[in-house]
Amino acid sequence: MSILSALKISRRPAAAFVVVGLFWGCFAAYVPVIKAQLDVNDALFGTLLLGSATGLVSSMWLAPKADKVLGARSMQVGIILLSLVWLLPAQVTVPVVFAATMGLVGMASGLLDVVMNARVSELEAKHNRPLMNANHAMFSVAYAAAATITGLAREAEITPLFVFAGFSAFSVLMAPFLRMEVAKVDADADTSGDYPLWPILMAGFIVLVAFMSEATVEAWSALHIERTLGGGAAEGALGPAMLGFTMAFGRFSGQAISERVRDVTVVVCAATISATGAIIAALAVCPMMAYVGFGVLGLGVSVIGPIGLALVGRIVKPHLRTEAISKAAVLGFSGFFFAPVLMGLVSEAYGLRVAFGCVAALIMIAVPLAITVGRMPRADGKP
């Protein structure tokens, strides 16, 4: 029941997580089609995705200011913007234009990412309980559902624009229900001490490692199954869908576990599980073995990013929470865009098997980072 109560408390930001998951799940399943439309190799396709990183970083630095201006309507505006801009890359065939449109996607996604995570952190402080994993689980559920639906659409030869338009219409209809008042904090009585830049960076790097690992599977799992292992379109779409389903299960489980087990212990165990999954996927000899690998990877990596963001909210003082999460998010969510670039370069030079092997090593970096952050004092003075 702790999961249901957590979602009830945070139902508005949870709906925003659903919207973001729908679009990225759709995109992940359509990667082979979009890449074919652009007629580019792995390295160039990965580089084109870097346009998203530019937009993401730009918007995340601006998000705290935008949040102050928009206030209770921040999530509503973010959802509408995201729904509109996703219609652009779905129909582009020119590489440079594709990079530019993905930049707009990055900006809209960045704004919504910062705001919805900040709202969850505010609710965690208000109710004195972890909520981050449950909300990120809703992203994973939506991501997996969208990837599955998109796989069926690909089998029916439906073009990306029509599917993205369907998800856009659904998201816009949800926007009116996402108005949420911002928590008011008296900063005058809570400004002692130095600015906690180092703790923010360390926690941000935990999020970065987790989301880079997740992004590699989202962007390249379908290609790995279809090109390396000879799977069909529906089989390829099942790769990111499997990641989404197991990440949802892992995050829902993590919601319950995080209320009983120390964050550092969870991260160490999760990183080990996730690295094992990446190795299985790299060594796969058939689509089914790859599904197992992606599933195990998703199960482990699912809780690492949310824990990193939750740690940020606990380390800093309340009046710095949105700004701190924004900075951590600049590091963390940029992994969704830098990782596909690096993955494309490694894949072009050595193949996707080696690239997924590198993911296993990347995930294990979260262990020493989590141990370091776990030793830092919390803003509320609790151990």
Side-chain angles (χ1 to χ4, degrees), residues 340-358:
V341 177
L342 298 175
M343 191 77 168
L345 294 173
V346 175
S347 174
E348 188 70 20
Y350 305 105
L352 282 170
R353 292 188 185 278
V354 174
F356 279 112
C358 293

Side-chain angles (χ1 to χ4, degrees), residues 34-326:
I34 294 173
K35 182 175 178 294
Q37 287 179 178
L38 297 170
D39 192 24
V40 295
N41 60 27
D42 289 358
L44 181 54
F45 183 68
T47 303
L48 293 175
L49 293 178
L50 194 59
S52 305
T54 303
L56 178 82
V57 172
S58 300
S59 72
M60 284 187 172
W61 283 110
L62 297 172
K65 296 180 180 179
D67 192 25
K68 290 180 180 179
V69 174
L70 297 171
R73 298 190 179 279
S74 294
M75 285 193 294
Q76 294 177 306
V77 173
I79 284 177
I80 292 173
L81 289 176
L82 189 64
S83 300
L84 293 176
V85 298
W86 263 119
L87 298 176
L88 302 176
Q91 54 187 320
V92 171
T93 58
V94 180
V96 175
V97 178
F98 173 78
T101 58
M102 288 303 292
L104 296 176
V105 167
M107 290 186 68
S109 186
L111 171 63
L112 187 54
D113 279 330
V114 169
V115 172
M116 67 190 188
N117 277 286
R119 295 294 178 273
V120 174
S121 187
E122 290 171 5
L123 291 171
E124 285 186 326
K126 179 180 179 180
H127 295 275
N128 193 29
R129 60 174 300 184
L131 301 169
M132 200 67 78
N133 268 307
N135 280 266
H136 281 258
M138 294 307 295
F139 167 89
S140 299
V141 170
Y143 176 94
T148 302
I149 293 170
T150 303
L152 297 175
R154 285 186 58 195
E155 286 289 336
E157 298 184 350
I158 299 175
T159 59
L161 178 59
F162 286 103
V163 181
F164 275 109
F167 287 131
S168 293
F170 172 79
S171 301
V172 169
L173 290 175
M174 289 182 62
F177 304 100
L178 269 69
R179 179 185 173 88
M180 180 177 172
E181 295 297 332
V182 183
K184 304 298 183 182
V185 178
D186 181 12
D188 294 336
D190 200 28
T191 55
S192 60
D194 297 330
Y195 187 80
L197 181 59
W198 182 243
I200 292 172
L201 290 176
M202 293 298 291
F205 278 122
I206 294 175
V207 183
L208 174 65
V209 168
F211 288 169
M212 283 187 72
S213 304
E214 180 182 339
T216 57
V217 180
E218 290 181 358
W220 295 94
S221 58
L223 278 172
H224 183 49
I225 292 170
E226 294 178 32
R227 189 173 67 191
T228 309
L229 304 175
E235 290 175 304
L238 191 55
M242 181 62 71
L243 174 78
F245 284 126
T246 56
M247 287 189 69
F249 178 80
R251 284 170 173 168
F252 281 130
S253 301
Q255 175 62 37
I257 293 171
S258 63
E259 296 182 6
R260 298 172 177 82
V261 183
R262 292 181 66 246
D263 289 334
V264 174
T265 303
V266 176
V267 172
V268 171
C269 295
T272 303
I273 293 171
S274 188
T276 301
I279 293 172
I280 293 173
L283 299 177
V285 296
C286 63
M288 183 57 67
M289 185 174 175
Y291 298 149
V292 172
F294 294 139
V296 173
L297 189 155
L299 188 65
V301 80
S302 61
V303 299
I304 299 176
I307 287 177
L309 289 171
L311 286 171
V312 176
R314 296 169 196 163
I315 291 171
V316 304
K317 294 184 180 298
H319 72 282
L320 295 173
R321 189 175 291 123
T322 300
E323 181 182 351
I325 288 178
S326 177

Side-chain angles (χ1 to χ4, degrees), residues 322-343:
T322 300
E323 181 182 351
I325 288 178
S326 177
K327 286 181 168 58
V330 168
L331 281 174
F333 286 101
S334 64
F336 278 110
F337 307 103
F338 290 120
V341 177
L342 298 175
M343 191 77 168

